[in-house]
Amino acid sequence: KQLIEIQQTGLMTINSQSFYQCEELTTFSTTEFPDVISGYETFYGCTKLVNIDTDNWDISVVTTLKGMFDGCKQLNSLSLNMWDTNNVLYLDNMFNDCVALDINLSFSIKNVKSMKKIFEKSGISHTNFDKFLIYCNQTQKQKNVYLTNSPSYPYSNNAINAYYTLVSDGWTITPGPPTNNTWFKGTFKADSTGTITLALNFPNNPIIINFGS
Protein backbone atom coordinates (compact mmCIF):
# COMPACT_ATOMS: atom_id res chain seq x y z
CA LYS A 1 0.00 0.00 0.00
CA GLN A 2 2.97 2.37 0.42
CA LEU A 3 4.23 2.11 -3.19
CA ILE A 4 4.33 5.70 -4.49
CA GLU A 5 5.87 5.72 -7.98
CA ILE A 6 6.86 3.19 -10.66
CA GLN A 7 9.30 4.06 -13.44
CA GLN A 8 9.89 0.89 -15.44
CA THR A 9 13.09 0.72 -17.50
CA GLY A 10 13.14 -2.98 -18.36
CA LEU A 11 10.74 -5.67 -19.46
CA MET A 12 7.65 -5.99 -17.26
CA THR A 13 4.74 -8.39 -17.17
CA ILE A 14 1.46 -7.09 -15.80
CA ASN A 15 -1.16 -9.49 -14.51
CA SER A 16 -4.35 -9.60 -12.45
CA GLN A 17 -4.26 -7.33 -9.40
CA SER A 18 -0.59 -6.44 -9.97
CA PHE A 19 -1.01 -3.12 -8.13
CA TYR A 20 -4.19 -3.94 -6.23
CA GLN A 21 -4.97 -1.27 -3.61
CA CYS A 22 -1.61 0.49 -3.93
CA GLU A 23 -3.30 3.45 -2.35
CA GLU A 24 -0.26 5.75 -2.37
CA LEU A 25 0.71 5.11 -6.01
CA THR A 26 0.55 8.36 -8.00
CA THR A 27 2.62 7.71 -11.16
CA PHE A 28 3.22 4.73 -13.44
CA SER A 29 5.53 5.18 -16.44
CA THR A 30 7.34 2.78 -18.78
CA THR A 31 10.18 2.90 -21.29
CA GLU A 32 9.59 -0.63 -22.62
CA PHE A 33 6.30 -2.05 -23.82
CA PRO A 34 4.93 -4.10 -20.89
CA ASP A 35 3.26 -7.43 -21.65
CA VAL A 36 -0.18 -7.57 -20.10
CA ILE A 37 -1.47 -11.07 -19.35
CA SER A 38 -4.66 -9.95 -17.63
CA GLY A 39 -6.17 -6.58 -16.83
CA TYR A 40 -8.39 -7.88 -14.04
CA GLU A 41 -8.35 -5.27 -11.24
CA THR A 42 -4.76 -4.34 -12.15
CA PHE A 43 -4.98 -0.87 -10.56
CA TYR A 44 -8.03 -1.50 -8.40
CA GLY A 45 -8.22 0.92 -5.49
CA CYS A 46 -5.22 3.05 -6.54
CA THR A 47 -7.07 6.08 -5.26
CA LYS A 48 -4.18 8.56 -5.74
CA LEU A 49 -3.07 7.41 -9.19
CA VAL A 50 -2.98 10.45 -11.48
CA ASN A 51 -0.47 9.70 -14.24
CA ILE A 52 -0.21 6.44 -16.15
CA ASP A 53 1.51 5.86 -19.48
CA THR A 54 -0.51 3.18 -21.31
CA ASP A 55 0.05 4.10 -24.96
CA ASN A 56 2.17 1.15 -26.07
CA TRP A 57 1.03 -1.68 -23.85
CA ASP A 58 0.72 -5.09 -25.50
CA ILE A 59 -2.62 -6.48 -24.40
CA SER A 60 -3.21 -8.64 -27.47
CA VAL A 61 -3.69 -11.83 -25.38
CA VAL A 62 -5.90 -10.23 -22.74
CA THR A 63 -9.49 -11.47 -22.42
CA THR A 64 -10.62 -9.40 -19.44
CA LEU A 65 -10.19 -5.81 -18.33
CA LYS A 66 -12.72 -6.12 -15.51
CA GLY A 67 -12.20 -3.49 -12.85
CA MET A 68 -8.81 -2.50 -14.28
CA PHE A 69 -9.01 1.11 -13.05
CA ASP A 70 -11.85 0.63 -10.56
CA GLY A 71 -11.58 3.20 -7.78
CA CYS A 72 -8.86 5.34 -9.39
CA LYS A 73 -10.57 8.48 -8.18
CA GLN A 74 -7.87 10.97 -9.21
CA LEU A 75 -7.09 9.54 -12.65
CA ASN A 76 -8.06 12.26 -15.13
CA SER A 77 -6.72 11.07 -18.49
CA LEU A 78 -6.03 7.81 -20.30
CA SER A 79 -4.97 6.98 -23.85
CA LEU A 80 -6.26 3.50 -24.69
CA ASN A 81 -7.48 3.75 -28.27
CA MET A 82 -4.30 2.19 -29.70
CA TRP A 83 -4.74 -0.95 -27.60
CA ASP A 84 -5.29 -4.23 -29.44
CA THR A 85 -8.45 -5.37 -27.65
CA ASN A 86 -9.61 -7.87 -30.26
CA ASN A 87 -9.56 -10.73 -27.73
CA VAL A 88 -11.18 -8.87 -24.85
CA LEU A 89 -14.47 -10.33 -23.66
CA TYR A 90 -15.21 -8.38 -20.47
CA LEU A 91 -15.02 -4.67 -19.63
CA ASP A 92 -17.19 -4.72 -16.50
CA ASN A 93 -16.39 -2.02 -13.90
CA MET A 94 -13.35 -0.95 -15.92
CA PHE A 95 -13.72 2.76 -15.03
CA ASN A 96 -16.05 2.41 -12.05
CA ASP A 97 -15.60 5.25 -9.55
CA CYS A 98 -13.09 7.09 -11.78
CA VAL A 99 -14.84 10.30 -10.82
CA ALA A 100 -12.30 12.61 -12.50
CA LEU A 101 -12.07 10.67 -15.77
CA ASP A 102 -13.94 11.87 -18.86
CA ILE A 103 -12.75 9.32 -21.41
CA ASN A 104 -13.32 9.20 -25.17
CA LEU A 105 -13.20 5.43 -25.76
CA SER A 106 -13.03 3.82 -29.21
CA PHE A 107 -10.96 0.64 -29.06
CA SER A 108 -12.19 -2.64 -30.55
CA ILE A 109 -15.22 -4.21 -28.87
CA LYS A 110 -15.85 -6.84 -31.52
CA ASN A 111 -15.74 -9.78 -29.06
CA VAL A 112 -16.89 -8.00 -25.91
CA LYS A 113 -19.78 -9.74 -24.15
CA SER A 114 -20.29 -7.49 -21.17
CA MET A 115 -19.65 -3.89 -20.12
CA LYS A 116 -21.70 -3.89 -16.92
CA LYS A 117 -21.00 -0.78 -14.84
CA ILE A 118 -18.07 0.16 -17.12
CA PHE A 119 -18.67 3.88 -16.47
CA GLU A 120 -20.54 3.70 -13.15
CA LYS A 121 -19.71 6.70 -10.94
CA SER A 122 -17.15 7.86 -13.51
CA GLY A 123 -16.71 11.39 -14.83
CA ILE A 124 -17.72 10.58 -18.41
CA SER A 125 -19.61 13.47 -19.99
CA HIS A 126 -22.78 13.28 -22.05
CA THR A 127 -20.68 14.13 -25.11
CA ASN A 128 -18.24 11.26 -24.69
CA PHE A 129 -20.93 8.78 -23.66
CA ASP A 130 -22.86 9.72 -26.80
CA LYS A 131 -19.71 9.22 -28.89
CA PHE A 132 -19.19 5.79 -27.34
CA LEU A 133 -22.75 4.68 -28.07
CA ILE A 134 -22.48 5.87 -31.67
CA TYR A 135 -19.12 4.11 -32.01
CA CYS A 136 -20.57 0.87 -30.59
CA ASN A 137 -23.37 1.05 -33.12
CA GLN A 138 -21.05 1.65 -36.07
CA THR A 139 -18.25 -0.82 -35.28
CA GLN A 140 -18.07 -4.61 -35.37
CA LYS A 141 -19.70 -6.01 -32.23
CA GLN A 142 -21.50 -8.90 -30.57
CA LYS A 143 -25.24 -9.11 -29.97
CA ASN A 144 -26.81 -9.21 -26.50
CA VAL A 145 -24.15 -7.09 -24.78
CA TYR A 146 -24.71 -5.49 -21.37
CA LEU A 147 -23.82 -1.79 -21.00
CA THR A 148 -25.34 -0.81 -17.68
CA ASN A 149 -25.35 1.68 -14.81
CA SER A 150 -23.75 4.55 -16.71
CA PRO A 151 -23.83 8.01 -15.08
CA SER A 152 -25.02 9.50 -18.36
CA TYR A 153 -27.70 8.57 -20.88
CA PRO A 154 -28.12 8.97 -24.67
CA TYR A 155 -28.49 12.70 -25.19
CA SER A 156 -28.00 13.66 -28.85
CA ASN A 157 -30.30 12.46 -31.64
CA ASN A 158 -27.53 10.33 -33.15
CA ALA A 159 -26.85 8.67 -29.80
CA ILE A 160 -30.55 8.02 -29.22
CA ASN A 161 -30.80 6.42 -32.66
CA ALA A 162 -27.72 4.31 -31.85
CA TYR A 163 -29.30 3.28 -28.56
CA TYR A 164 -32.44 1.93 -30.22
CA THR A 165 -30.45 0.11 -32.90
CA LEU A 166 -28.26 -1.56 -30.28
CA VAL A 167 -31.29 -2.51 -28.19
CA SER A 168 -32.83 -4.12 -31.27
CA ASP A 169 -29.64 -6.22 -31.45
CA GLY A 170 -30.30 -7.49 -27.95
CA TRP A 171 -28.15 -5.00 -26.02
CA THR A 172 -29.16 -4.00 -22.50
CA ILE A 173 -28.29 -0.33 -21.97
CA THR A 174 -29.12 1.61 -18.82
CA PRO A 175 -30.14 4.30 -18.40
CA GLY A 176 -32.04 4.82 -21.63
CA PRO A 177 -32.98 8.12 -23.25
CA PRO A 178 -35.11 10.49 -21.18
CA THR A 179 -38.84 10.29 -21.91
CA ASN A 180 -41.20 13.20 -22.37
CA ASN A 181 -42.27 12.98 -18.74
CA THR A 182 -38.73 13.04 -17.33
CA TRP A 183 -38.47 15.39 -14.35
CA PHE A 184 -35.48 17.59 -13.67
CA LYS A 185 -34.65 19.30 -10.40
CA GLY A 186 -35.13 23.04 -10.25
CA THR A 187 -34.90 25.84 -7.75
CA PHE A 188 -36.97 29.00 -7.26
CA LYS A 189 -35.13 32.09 -6.09
CA ALA A 190 -36.28 35.61 -5.31
CA ASP A 191 -33.80 38.48 -5.15
CA SER A 192 -34.03 41.67 -3.09
CA THR A 193 -36.19 43.38 -5.74
CA GLY A 194 -38.74 40.59 -5.66
CA THR A 195 -37.70 39.17 -9.03
CA ILE A 196 -38.36 35.42 -9.15
CA THR A 197 -36.25 33.05 -11.23
CA LEU A 198 -36.54 29.31 -11.82
CA ALA A 199 -33.34 27.35 -12.59
CA LEU A 200 -33.87 23.97 -14.26
CA ASN A 201 -30.87 21.65 -14.13
CA PHE A 202 -31.00 20.08 -17.57
CA PRO A 203 -27.75 18.12 -18.20
CA ASN A 204 -25.12 20.29 -19.91
CA ASN A 205 -27.73 22.96 -20.58
CA PRO A 206 -29.19 24.62 -17.48
CA ILE A 207 -32.17 26.89 -18.18
CA ILE A 208 -33.04 29.97 -16.13
CA ILE A 209 -36.55 31.44 -16.40
CA ASN A 210 -37.12 34.99 -15.17
CA PHE A 211 -40.70 35.61 -14.02
CA GLY A 212 -40.14 39.26 -13.17
CA SER A 213 -41.22 40.89 -9.92
Side-chain angles (χ1 to χ4, degrees):
K1 291 188 176 183
Q2 299 303 311
L3 188 63
I4 296 174
E5 183 175 352
I6 296 174
Q7 293 184 345
Q8 176 250 348
T9 57
L11 211 52
M12 175 184 285
T13 298
I14 294 174
N15 212 328
S16 299
Q17 299 184 328
S18 291
F19 308 100
Y20 185 86
Q21 289 191 330
C22 289
E23 296 172 355
E24 299 301 318
L25 182 65
T26 60
T27 302
F28 185 100
S29 61
T30 61
T31 56
E32 302 280 344
F33 301 164
D35 292 324
V36 184
I37 306 302
S38 172
Y40 177 71
E41 294 186 345
T42 302
F43 295 98
Y44 180 96
C46 294
T47 55
K48 295 183 180 179
L49 183 62
V50 177
N51 300 308
I52 179 168
D53 176 11
T54 57
D55 282 343
N56 298 306
W57 289 17
D58 180 6
I59 69 161
S60 57
V61 301
V62 171
T63 58
T64 181
L65 297 174
K66 279 186 177 182
M68 188 172 194
F69 303 102
D70 193 340
C72 294
K73 296 177 181 291
Q74 296 190 40
L75 192 62
N76 55 37
S77 66
L78 275 175
S79 178
L80 308 181
N81 291 338
M82 297 300 293
W83 279 12
D84 177 2
T85 54
N86 287 321
N87 288 316
V88 172
L89 304 176
Y90 303 103
L91 298 174
D92 306 306
N93 297 90
M94 187 173 181
F95 307 108
N96 180 46
D97 210 17
C98 293
V99 294
L101 184 64
D102 182 14
I103 191 166
N104 182 4
L105 194 64
S106 60
F107 55 41
S108 173
I109 60 163
K110 73 176 186 178
N111 286 312
V112 170
K113 296 180 178 180
S114 180
M115 293 184 272
K116 293 177 182 177
K117 302 182 181 180
I118 180 175
F119 299 120
E120 185 175 33
K121 293 185 287 186
S122 76
I124 191 169
S125 62
H126 285 291
T127 298
N128 279 333
F129 185 70
D130 277 10
K131 287 179 181 178
F132 184 65
L133 271 187
I134 294 166
Y135 170 75
C136 288
N137 187 44
Q138 294 174 343
T139 193
Q140 187 178 355
K141 57 191 172 295
Q142 299 290 309
K143 294 181 181 295
N144 306 313
V145 175
Y146 287 88
L147 174 57
T148 58
N149 290 62
S150 297
S152 181
Y153 52 77
Y155 192 72
S156 67
N157 288 333
N158 287 338
I160 291 172
N161 291 336
Y163 166 87
Y164 285 114
T165 302
L166 291 167
V167 168
S168 71
D169 281 338
W171 282 47
T172 300
I173 304 172
T174 60
T179 59
N180 290 335
N181 61 353
T182 298
W183 289 84
F184 294 92
K185 291 183 179 180
T187 54
F188 279 100
K189 183 178 181 181
D191 63 19
S192 58
T193 67
T195 299
I196 299 174
T197 57
L198 170 62
L200 296 175
N201 297 324
F202 288 93
N204 291 347
N205 188 27
I207 295 176
I208 296 177
I209 303 172
N210 190 329
F211 292 96
S213 58

